[in-house]
Amino acid sequence: MFETRRILKVPKDLEIRRLLRKEVRHYVLSEKLLPPVKITILEEHAKKLLSNHKISADYLDFAIVLLGNEAWRKTVAATPFNRRLLLLPQCLKNAQYCKAEIDNLGLICAGCKRCSIHKILEVAEGLGYITLVAEGTTIAVGLVEEGSIDTVIGVSCMAVLQKSFEPVSQAAVPAIGLPLMEDGCLNTDLDYDWLYEEMHQFSNDDGLQPISVSLLKNKVEAYFSEEILTEYFPKNDNTEKLAYEMMGKGGQRMRPLMTALAYQSYAGNVSDDLQKEIAMIIETFHKASLIHDDIEDNDDTRYGQDTLHKTEGIPTALNVGDYLLGKGYQLIANLNLDPKLIAQCLKVVSASHVVSSIGQGADIFLGKNIGKLSTNEVLQIFQQKTGEAVKIALLLGAIIGGAPSEDLLQLEKFSEDFGIAYQIRDDLNEFREINDQSHALNFPFLMALLNNQEKNKEKDLTNSIKTIDLELLKEMVNEYKIEDEAKTFLDNYVENCYQQLDKLQNMRLRLSLYRIMGKIFP
């Protein structure tokens, strides 16, 4: 994590610890550090802080921990106690007299009162905390991802806190870490007053309370149950019946989840009925685009089943896709909102519809000219198709939630970069899983990078996408290190996404999108 090996040292002097905590608090406020903050950035600030106050550089890592804590403090304090995890190390136990049992999750305190663990757990559980006595970074991240908790207060030695930073940061888990006074695995000690102070912090600020992406995902999934779908698509005729079936088919429901996240992040009072409506709207547009894409790309399967045009014919499939588009616009027009707000939604969605259609047209052209398009042209297609789909998902929820115009602009930029990154990632995954059924259109960006290689002009890349020799293609990709080049593009666009999120002032959406990014681009 660090370029040089350093002493992981906690000040033994209580006054130094208190001084550092106080100065860190002032520093984070003055610098306006918003989480998650990269370890490299925290290190820069820690060096500056220690230098300003003429404090020994021995405490650099301790200062980094404090800065990370302070950046997350408001988020942790806004989290209800019953949505927090207190994570304690087993080394706090009295090794000589401990009667606790150990299971696959950690230590089960026997209540012998011969060490501090019993008292800490008693206080924590009295407040409502979920508690765990284990080396549990992986478990803690898993509990956040499954929706059991939202934030963590963890106690550990400095070495473990240092190792934990990357996975916790990657998952965007709001966490406060308290270092043990000494390294070692037996009968160590802790600043207990500091721990109890952290445990009791609470501020009733809904605007900072994290949204559980996992729990919201489950709720969004429930919107597409048979009962609810029947309300929107009562199957009165064959078109409605087929639309109902398409809406019920799988997928990650990522777009309606993003819509719900954006809406919840900005809305003062969340209406579940309105959230359901806008999630349904986004999914109608998404399913319509899939039906039309499958026809235009001549794909035979979707979600492991025959595509709609394969089972029902192209005319019927086209009509169902058109019906779903019309349904989406109809649902927007019928929202129980101020007409000006509805007009703004229609303006954004219709503009995106036009851009994505242009992108799809360029994609069709790409299929006929696989050996001619440049990387910039392919990236533009990714932005116009996937980027626009993400954009309307986020903007629809944000607009209805009442987001300020500057946040809408940041979400637009984020969506464009996210769409490009997502498609480059898909290209790489498709190529790594290449098989006899693969063809060049499965990884257009890699093909475009090959096109940029001057030596490849001697190779025949202009053949039909169905007849390009896949073995030759793999050799060329390896020869010119095309995967590495694509990975560099991917890393750059992922970094662009994070930079856009760092400018987003809404902490709830910022944190939620960080978590989604961490899952998609680990």
Side-chain angles (χ1 to χ4, degrees):
M1 185 176 294
F2 301 110
E3 292 181 1
T4 57
R5 185 175 180 83
R6 298 195 299 254
I7 299 172
L8 304 178
K9 196 169 185 178
V10 178
K12 289 192 170 25
D13 189 322
L14 176 62
E15 291 307 313
I16 294 179
R17 295 200 300 273
R18 286 179 174 172
L19 172 64
L20 272 172
R21 289 178 58 204
K22 177 184 174 183
E23 295 305 329
V24 163
R25 183 162 298 188
H26 292 317
Y27 185 88
V28 169
L29 283 173
S30 65
E31 295 290 327
K32 298 179 180 178
L33 292 182
L34 296 176
V37 187
K38 291 182 179 178
I39 187 68
T40 52
I41 303 300
L42 289 177
E43 184 173 358
E44 290 173 10
H45 286 295
K47 289 176 180 177
K48 180 179 175 182
L49 178 75
L50 293 176
S51 176
N52 287 348
H53 295 280
K54 296 181 172 53
I55 297 174
S56 172
D58 286 352
Y59 303 129
L60 178 61
D61 295 284
F62 182 69
I64 290 172
V65 170
L66 295 183
L67 285 164
N69 288 350
E70 203 57 44
W72 280 119
R73 181 169 309 286
K74 291 182 179 179
T75 303
V76 174
T79 305
F81 294 131
N82 66 350
R83 297 291 301 168
R84 302 184 198 179
L85 170 71
L86 177 66
L87 185 62
L88 298 176
Q90 294 184 29
C91 56
L92 279 176
K93 71 182 180 181
N94 186 314
Q96 184 176 358
Y97 299 105
C98 182
K99 299 179 181 179
E101 295 182 6
I102 307 291
D103 66 6
N104 59 338
L105 288 179
L107 180 146
I108 304 172
C109 180
C112 68
K113 301 183 182 181
R114 289 181 179 267
C115 70
S116 60
I117 290 178
H118 172 76
K119 181 182 177 182
I120 297 171
L121 294 180
E122 192 174 54
V123 172
E125 290 165 3
L127 290 169
Y129 277 76
I130 295 171
T131 59
L132 187 64
V133 184
E135 294 294 346
T137 301
T138 302
I139 296 172
V141 171
L143 289 172
V144 171
E145 291 180 346
E146 74 180 28
S148 298
I149 59 168
D150 294 321
T151 60
V152 179
I153 295 179
V155 177
S156 190
C157 63
M158 287 288 290
V160 172
L161 286 178
Q162 188 189 66
K163 291 176 184 177
S164 301
F165 186 91
E166 190 169 343
V168 169
S169 181
Q170 178 74 22
V173 176
I176 287 180
L178 278 78
L180 295 166
M181 299 304 296
E182 300 283 352
D183 285 345
C185 299
L186 292 175
N187 302 328
T188 186
D189 205 2
L190 172 68
D191 186 334
Y192 295 100
D193 289 339
W194 181 11
L195 173 61
Y196 292 132
E197 180 185 332
E198 298 287 9
M199 286 168 56
H200 282 86
Q201 279 196 96
F202 181 73
S203 66
N204 192 16
D205 189 340
D206 292 340
L208 289 173
Q209 183 181 337
I211 297 171
S212 172
V213 176
S214 179
L215 293 182
L216 185 57
K217 186 177 188 298
N218 293 339
K219 177 170 278 193
V220 169
E221 287 279 0
Y223 292 154
F224 301 95
S225 65
E226 292 183 11
E227 180 181 0
I228 292 176
L229 282 175
T230 303
E231 296 174 14
Y232 291 90
F233 307 95
K235 297 180 281 187
N236 291 324
D237 53 46
N238 190 54
T239 299
E240 276 191 348
K241 177 177 176 293
L242 293 172
Y244 165 89
E245 290 175 357
M246 281 301 300
M247 290 291 290
K249 286 185 178 179
Q252 299 178 9
R253 310 283 189 196
M254 184 177 72
R255 291 167 182 80
L257 171 62
M258 285 184 161
T259 303
L261 283 170
Y263 169 64
Q264 281 207 12
S265 296
Y266 291 101
N269 296 307
V270 173
S271 164
D272 190 60
D273 286 340
L274 180 55
Q275 183 170 275
K276 177 181 66 177
E277 289 275 317
I278 59 178
M280 192 66 64
I281 288 165
I282 289 299
E283 191 69 356
T284 61
F285 290 135
H286 177 50
K287 285 297 195 288
S289 71
L290 294 184
I291 294 171
H292 290 161
D293 281 2
D294 287 343
I295 294 169
E296 291 160 347
D297 297 341
N298 197 28
D299 286 334
D300 293 337
T301 59
R302 169 76 65 179
Y303 304 131
Q305 303 174 31
D306 287 344
T307 52
L308 187 61
H309 72 273
K310 184 82 171 175
T311 59
E312 304 295 330
I314 291 176
T316 296
L318 281 172
N319 187 59
V320 173
D322 291 343
Y323 168 84
L324 286 169
L325 286 173
K327 187 72 171 181
Y329 283 111
Q330 182 187 58
L331 290 173
I332 293 176
N334 290 338
L335 289 171
N336 186 23
L337 296 172
D338 185 294
K340 290 182 180 179
L341 200 57
I342 291 176
Q344 186 180 0
C345 292
L346 287 169
K347 182 178 179 180
V348 167
V349 173
S350 59
S352 189
H353 190 166
V354 170
V355 173
S356 61
S357 295
I358 291 170
Q360 180 64 11
D363 198 22
I364 294 169
F365 177 81
L366 168 67
K368 299 176 181 177
N369 300 272
I370 190 66
K372 296 179 181 178
L373 287 189
S374 68
T375 53
N376 286 339
E377 288 172 309
V378 175
L379 291 174
Q380 185 176 31
I381 291 171
F382 290 167
Q383 179 182 313
Q384 290 173 326
K385 292 186 63 182
T386 306
E388 286 298 318
V390 173
K391 183 187 295 184
I392 63 166
L394 286 172
L395 291 188
L396 187 68
I399 289 169
I400 292 173
S405 57
E406 55 267 28
D407 276 16
L408 296 179
L409 180 60
Q410 292 306 137
L411 290 174
E412 284 190 39
K413 293 176 180 177
F414 166 80
S415 300
E416 291 168 357
D417 289 332
F418 181 92
I420 292 173
Y422 192 90
Q423 288 303 133
I424 294 175
R425 185 207 68 155
D426 269 9
D427 269 31
L428 285 166
N429 289 344
E430 289 279 0
F431 183 77
R432 289 160 184 164
E433 297 171 6
I434 198 169
N435 57 52
D436 292 341
Q437 304 302 313
S438 300
H439 53 75
L441 262 187
N442 293 139
F443 22 83
F445 186 64
L446 301 188
M447 293 296 296
L449 291 175
L450 270 176
N451 293 338
N452 288 347
Q453 294 285 347
E454 290 295 325
K455 293 180 181 179
N456 286 342
K457 290 182 178 178
E458 301 172 6
K459 312 269 186 174
D460 190 5
L461 290 182
T462 59
N463 285 343
S464 164
I465 60 172
K466 298 286 188 179
T467 60
I468 288 178
D469 186 319
L470 293 179
E471 289 303 318
L472 172 63
L473 188 60
K474 284 193 286 186
E475 288 177 13
M476 292 163 64
V477 167
N478 291 331
E479 180 182 354
Y480 298 116
K481 297 181 170 53
I482 297 300
E483 279 193 84
D484 292 341
E485 190 176 353
K487 184 65 166 57
T488 299
F489 272 91
L490 174 60
D491 291 343
N492 288 339
Y493 277 100
V494 167
E495 180 59 29
N496 288 348
C497 288
Y498 282 121
Q499 289 178 6
Q500 297 304 332
L501 291 182
D502 287 343
K503 298 174 186 176
L504 197 64
Q505 292 303 303
N506 187 291
M507 278 300 303
R508 304 185 84 195
L509 186 55
R510 187 169 186 249
L511 177 55
S512 298
L513 293 177
Y514 252 89
R515 286 184 181 168
I516 288 175
M517 288 285 296
K519 292 289 286 184
I520 294 175
F521 306 108

